[in-house]
Amino acid sequence: MSSEIAEVTRVVNAFSETWNRHDINAFADLFAEDAEFVNVVGLWWKGRPEIKGAHEFTHQTMFKHSRLSIQDVVARFPTPNIAIARCRWTLEGHVSPEGLALPPRNGILVNMLQQDGGTWRIIDSQNTDIIEGVVSRPQ
Amino acid sequence: MSSEIAEVTRVVNAFSETWNRHDINAFADLFAEDAEFVNVVGLWWKGRPEIKGAHEFTHQTMFKHSRLSIQDVVARFPTPNIAIARCRWTLEGHVSPEGLALPPRNGILVNMLQQDGGTWRIIDSQNTDIIEGVVSRPQ
């Protein structure tokens, strides 16, 4: 594995490691200052402060005891300093707004990363739930 | 508007123009040969032939008479030859696998594009349904 693939994979895995520690400062530090993030219901956060604030809220509530597992990180490099890294994930241990336990969920996350001064940071993320057995939605 | 923003916006708008003509050859030509595409239910297509085949199938079935409207294309350029273009969209006129009319849907699409020899093509797409009034799913 090249050092660039290893480093990009490390950053993507840090997404779940910081999530599982509920360390939102470290989570937010994975993102560039002007990064954007679209979550599984289409909320569009612009800039690291919005990304951080949204995750501080959810990790005090529905994701407080959740555990995120990332599988199968696949990275492509359209240029030497840009990476597209896609992975599948499973989330367990999350609860509804009323505090009720919810079943595990699966999804697929794309992160675009850029290297700047030797550091790879996420400049864009978009997340999509996996709905098994259908071609589109609603069906 | 710079010529680069104009050209990237043109390609993103061509996504809906070719969709609405159901011209899947022209639709597929917007993508690079090794492009990847994740749709709203997490299906992950790898390469232009898979992207084309999937859309040929849906445009003969559930999307045969559908109409896609793209709004608010916002493009960023992390490097001069790479663009991240995000837009919201509305889909109308689609049907269920049983042929029943379905209500309009809204979503958010990110396209990454790369310029090669003066031509901008989509190298990666990921699509997410917008679910109003929630922070995450299921709730």
Side-chain angles (χ1 to χ4, degrees):
Chain A
M1 184 185 290
S2 79
S3 63
E4 299 305 318
I5 295 177
E7 181 57 16
V8 165
T9 302
R10 186 195 68 75
V11 174
V12 176
N13 283 325
F15 188 111
S16 56
E17 290 160 8
T18 55
W19 179 291
N20 291 334
R21 291 203 310 269
H22 310 291
D23 182 347
I24 304 305
N25 286 323
F27 179 83
D29 193 49
L30 301 174
F31 293 83
E33 184 63 29
D34 61 352
E36 299 191 4
F37 191 127
V38 167
N39 86 339
V40 293
V41 293
L43 291 175
W44 183 351
W45 299 308
K46 295 170 186 171
R48 187 196 289 153
E50 283 190 20
I51 295 168
K52 184 178 178 184
H55 287 87
E56 283 174 337
F57 173 74
T58 53
H59 282 260
Q60 288 163 0
T61 52
M62 62 189 303
F63 297 148
K64 188 171 185 177
H65 301 293
S66 68
R67 182 163 182 83
L68 183 67
S69 304
I70 282 181
Q71 304 106 29
D72 306 331
V73 179
V74 182
R76 294 184 289 150
F77 294 81
T79 76
N81 292 321
I82 296 282
I84 307 171
R86 190 168 264 117
C87 60
R88 292 195 172 91
W89 53 263
T90 300
L91 183 70
E92 302 175 281
H94 51 299
V95 299
S96 74
E98 298 76 26
L100 299 174
L102 292 171
R105 287 163 50 194
N106 299 302
I108 187 164
L109 172 69
V110 64
N111 286 303
M112 189 179 318
L113 299 94
Q114 184 166 23
Q115 182 182 219
D116 184 16
T119 301
W120 285 92
R121 279 205 166 80
I122 300 168
I123 59 173
D124 199 88
S125 292
Q126 185 153 334
N127 212 349
T128 303
D129 273 331
I130 294 174
I131 311 295
E132 300 286 352
V134 296
V135 174
S136 189
R137 184 164 47 188
Q139 296 201 336
Chain B
M1 185 185 289
S2 80
S3 63
E4 299 304 318
I5 294 176
E7 181 57 16
V8 165
T9 302
R10 188 195 68 74
V11 174
V12 176
N13 283 324
F15 187 110
S16 57
E17 290 161 8
T18 57
W19 179 291
N20 291 334
R21 292 201 311 269
H22 309 291
D23 182 348
I24 305 305
N25 286 323
F27 178 83
D29 193 48
L30 302 175
F31 293 84
E33 184 64 29
D34 60 352
E36 300 191 4
F37 191 129
V38 167
N39 86 341
V40 293
V41 293
L43 291 174
W44 182 352
W45 300 309
K46 296 170 187 172
R48 188 195 287 152
E50 284 190 18
I51 295 168
K52 185 179 177 184
H55 286 88
E56 284 173 339
F57 172 74
T58 52
H59 282 260
Q60 289 164 1
T61 52
M62 63 187 304
F63 298 147
K64 188 170 185 176
H65 302 292
S66 68
R67 182 162 181 84
L68 183 68
S69 305
I70 282 180
Q71 303 105 28
D72 306 331
V73 179
V74 182
R76 293 183 290 149
F77 295 81
T79 76
N81 292 320
I82 296 282
I84 307 171
R86 188 169 266 117
C87 60
R88 292 194 170 92
W89 53 262
T90 300
L91 184 71
E92 301 176 281
H94 52 296
V95 299
S96 73
E98 298 77 26
L100 300 174
L102 292 172
R105 285 164 49 193
N106 300 302
I108 189 164
L109 172 68
V110 64
N111 286 304
M112 189 180 318
L113 299 93
Q114 185 166 25
Q115 182 181 220
D116 184 17
T119 301
W120 285 92
R121 280 206 167 80
I122 299 167
I123 59 173
D124 199 87
S125 292
Q126 184 152 332
N127 212 349
T128 304
D129 274 330
I130 294 174
I131 311 297
E132 300 286 352
V134 296
V135 175
S136 189
R137 185 164 46 190
Q139 297 200 333

